[in-house]
Amino acid sequence: MKDNHLNAIKWITMRIQRPTIQIVIDCATYHDLNYSLEVNLNRIKMNNGSSRAAYIQTKKIKDYLELKGI
């Protein structure tokens, strides 16, 4: 598994310990952020064709949260 995927797994694991929130990024609405991150976590752990898409989505969420200071 790639290092950036392992870092994403660590970040998701820490983030889902916080209370869930609702965010809107571009046209995507995440009503339950923790649930979305858990789905991405499972997809990344599978390490198949869907893991890259899950990583990219997680990176977009992380960048957005850091930009907003959440």
Side-chain angles (χ1 to χ4, degrees):
M1 190 176 291
K2 296 180 180 181
D3 287 342
N4 55 355
H5 287 204
L6 293 173
N7 290 336
I9 289 171
K10 289 177 189 174
W11 181 81
I12 292 171
T13 304
M14 290 186 333
R15 179 66 204 185
I16 60 177
Q17 294 176 10
R18 296 182 184 178
T20 193
I21 58 174
Q22 178 179 335
I23 61 172
V24 177
I25 302 174
D26 299 327
C27 295
T29 301
Y30 300 91
H31 294 285
D32 184 347
L33 181 61
N34 286 358
Y35 176 76
S36 298
L37 290 174
E38 286 177 19
V39 169
N40 284 347
L41 177 64
N42 291 332
R43 288 172 63 196
I44 292 170
K45 285 182 176 180
M46 282 193 277
N47 199 25
N48 60 17
S50 67
S51 63
R52 177 148 173 78
Y55 169 77
I56 291 169
Q57 185 180 44
T58 300
K59 178 85 169 99
K60 184 183 279 191
I61 291 170
K62 181 182 180 209
D63 291 347
Y64 175 83
L65 294 175
E66 287 177 352
L67 179 68
K68 297 293 183 180
I70 300 173

